[in-house]
Amino acid sequence: MFVLIMSTIESICEDYGFDYYDDSNTREVLEQQGQEAYPIEVNDGESFEIPQWFTGRIEQDEQNYYKKVLVDEDMDYYEREVIQDDLPSGLYQLDKDEITVKQIYQTDVF
């Protein structure tokens, strides 16, 4: 699996002095995000990190990846959901087609 690591839009705006709420900066912000992005390869059984102020986008090739979602803490019962959004900064573990969150760095919700 490949994960594209990208700076968050908020961090690009802060680093380059763009106004986050000014839509006229959208092109420049997205170009900068693309220029700073880099892929990482994650193999089955490996842990991986998305650094703080970055997000991770799974580069899919017809393969679905799932996250474990806690349904009942008392019974330690989980369900699987297809990952459709970017992953926030944090530590993760890949096990076959399932991604387990070990730690989230920011207040983003996974």
Side-chain angles (χ1 to χ4, degrees), residues 70 72-78:
L70 182 63
D72 187 337
E73 188 172 351
D74 294 333
M75 295 183 67
D76 197 30
Y77 176 70
Y78 293 85

Side-chain angles (χ1 to χ4, degrees), residues 77-90:
Y77 176 70
Y78 293 85
E79 287 186 356
R80 293 169 27 127
E81 289 183 6
V82 175
I83 297 172
Q84 298 177 344
D85 299 321
D86 292 347
L87 301 171
S89 63

Side-chain angles (χ1 to χ4, degrees), residues 1 41-47 94-95:
M1 168 180 85
E41 183 175 8
V42 182
N43 295 308
D44 186 31
E46 289 184 341
S47 294
L94 175 64
D95 293 307

Side-chain angles (χ1 to χ4, degrees), residues 7 23-24 33 35 38 44 50 53 81 90 98 100 106-107:
S7 296
D23 289 340
S24 66
Q33 187 180 40
Q35 289 176 358
Y38 60 93
D44 186 31
I50 299 171
W53 302 109
E81 289 183 6
E98 190 170 84
T100 303
Q106 299 174 356
T107 58

Side-chain angles (χ1 to χ4, degrees), residues 1 3 5 12 14-15 20 24 26 29 33 36 39 42 55 57 59 62 69 78 85 88 91 95 98-99:
M1 168 180 85
V3 179
I5 306 295
I12 290 173
E14 185 176 315
D15 289 348
Y20 181 77
S24 66
T26 302
V29 170
Q33 187 180 40
E36 294 179 6
V42 182
T55 61
R57 179 170 297 155
E59 297 292 300
E62 303 300 319
V69 178
Y78 293 85
D85 299 321
L91 294 174
D95 293 307
E98 190 170 84
I99 296 175

